[in-house]
Amino acid sequence: MEIRVGTSGYSFEDWRGVFYPEKIEKGKMLDHYINHFNTVEINSTYYRVPHPRVMANIDKKAPDGFEFVVKVPQSMTHIRRDWDKEILAYRDCLKPMEDSGRLKGVLAQFPYSFKFDANGLEYIKSCREVLSPHPLFVEFRHQSWVNRQMYDALKTAGVGYVAVDEPRLPGLIKPDFFNTTDTAYLRLHGRNSEHWWQGGPLRYDYNYSNEELDEWKKKIEQFALKEKARKLYVFFNNCHLGQAVKNAREMIQKLNL
């Protein structure tokens, strides 16, 4: 099983002096990032769909073999209405990465308020149709989604399930590791229970301990032995103060990648 480890985003000011040189130009951050990782999630598209030229400039910095996953706009996952025009613009912005072959999927992160029901399943299927042919990966935040009906529906529709590591709080998704397509996907958000419901940057202020990373190393190795997927993406989203970079590099070392 091919394993790629990266971070959820790369352009953070508080990574200066931690991962990036203190005085690095913002436009040079990806140049530095690609020397350490072979994949990244582009999360800025959740807030605002960029012009295709912006994505083309990002893409041309990446070497052959580098891979992108791009988050879908919040209008599709959180607002869930009147998103038609924005999704057309979103599809256009993906074109440069699609043409280069570096785009490997799109990520739809649904909120805690989006709970399991038949209408929700139908909505995900409609998202899959609109975003086709790009591989779609969906992340849920509410535990109600983890059931056999969801698993079967995603598998039939060819939609990838995103496993997560997040605080052990009532209602949140537990750290169960499974996949619904031949590409598995894992996002590690940190376990900051104190600030999770308050939101903001402190939600992702968490540094995984060596023991916690070893837990996931063991799960990943066992998963690989069962040959349940041909590929696995592991993205660290505990981005506060560059902790995602630190933990991602530690995981790469643990997995001998």
Side-chain angles (χ1 to χ4, degrees), residues 26-38:
K26 202 165 183 71
K28 298 290 186 181
M29 287 181 171
L30 184 59
D31 301 79
H32 185 91
Y33 180 94
I34 62 178
N35 291 322
H36 300 271
F37 301 101
N38 59 14

Side-chain angles (χ1 to χ4, degrees), residues 4 36 42 45 49 61 64 87 92 94 98 104 128-129 144 153 161 169 180 187 200 202 242 253 257:
R4 289 185 178 244
H36 300 271
I42 301 293
T45 46
V49 176
K61 291 175 178 286
D64 291 341
I87 293 303
D92 286 342
L94 296 176
E98 179 184 5
K104 299 302 177 181
R128 175 73 184 92
E129 292 170 4
S144 62
Y161 175 80
L169 293 171
T180 52
R187 300 185 87 213
L202 290 181
Q253 188 173 25
L257 299 178

Side-chain angles (χ1 to χ4, degrees), residues 6-31:
T7 61
S8 300
Y10 65 88
S11 182
F12 299 99
E13 288 298 320
D14 64 359
W15 288 16
R16 294 178 184 273
V18 179
F19 175 58
Y20 296 124
E22 194 69 55
K23 296 184 178 179
I24 193 172
E25 296 175 29
K26 202 165 183 71
K28 298 290 186 181
M29 287 181 171
L30 184 59
D31 301 79

Side-chain angles (χ1 to χ4, degrees), residues 37-257:
F37 301 101
N38 59 14
T39 187
V40 72
E41 282 182 352
I42 301 293
N43 281 354
S44 58
T45 46
Y46 170 81
Y47 302 100
R48 182 176 177 274
V49 176
H51 191 279
R53 282 196 301 269
V54 174
M55 298 295 271
N57 287 334
I58 293 173
D59 181 73
K60 72 181 182 182
K61 291 175 178 286
D64 291 341
F66 193 88
E67 297 183 357
F68 294 99
V69 178
V70 182
K71 187 180 281 190
V72 306
Q74 60 183 328
S75 57
M76 175 175 269
T77 56
H78 287 59
I79 302 171
R80 298 193 294 280
R81 64 176 184 276
D82 303 326
W83 46 259
D84 307 63
K85 290 183 179 179
E86 188 171 40
I87 293 303
L88 288 175
Y90 173 73
R91 288 177 61 93
D92 286 342
C93 90
L94 296 176
K95 198 72 167 55
M97 292 178 179
E98 179 184 5
D99 290 345
S100 72
R102 296 188 185 96
L103 176 66
K104 299 302 177 181
V106 296
L107 169 68
Q109 177 197 307
F110 288 93
Y112 181 80
S113 59
F114 186 60
K115 300 176 183 178
F116 173 80
D117 62 18
N119 290 333
L121 278 180
E122 288 304 313
Y123 183 78
I124 290 168
K125 291 177 186 177
S126 69
C127 292
R128 175 73 184 92
E129 292 170 4
V130 169
L131 296 167
S132 180
H134 308 302
L136 171 63
F137 301 96
V138 295
E139 176 185 341
F140 304 111
R141 290 288 171 90
H142 197 275
Q143 179 66 23
S144 62
W145 280 96
V146 183
N147 59 64
R148 187 73 198 192
Q149 190 175 349
M150 175 278 291
Y151 177 87
D152 291 341
L154 263 58
K155 195 167 186 178
T156 299
V159 174
Y161 175 80
V162 178
V164 295
D165 186 281
E166 54 195 13
R168 310 302 196 254
L169 293 171
L172 289 182
I173 300 285
K174 295 180 175 62
D176 299 318
F177 191 26
F178 61 88
N179 58 308
T180 52
T181 65
D182 63 356
T183 298
Y185 206 114
L186 170 63
R187 300 185 87 213
L188 297 102
H189 299 295
R191 302 177 184 178
N192 193 330
S193 301
E194 181 182 357
H195 293 285
W196 185 261
W197 296 123
Q198 298 172 27
L202 290 181
R203 169 182 282 181
Y204 303 111
D205 180 9
Y206 192 82
N207 177 37
Y208 281 96
S209 68
N210 187 60
E211 292 73 23
E212 289 167 339
L213 292 176
D214 279 340
E215 290 174 15
W216 277 108
K217 172 183 179 286
K218 184 177 180 180
K219 287 184 180 183
I220 290 168
E221 290 175 340
Q222 290 175 340
F223 184 85
L225 284 173
K226 295 176 182 177
E227 299 182 343
K228 288 181 172 289
R230 63 174 181 81
K231 188 177 200 174
L232 166 64
Y233 287 109
V234 180
F235 289 110
F236 283 83
N237 191 35
N238 53 327
C239 292
H240 193 65
L241 297 176
Q243 291 167 127
V245 170
K246 174 181 176 293
N247 291 154
R249 294 171 80 175
E250 289 171 336
M251 182 61 79
I252 287 171
Q253 188 173 25
K254 286 179 179 295
L255 294 171
N256 297 315
L257 299 178

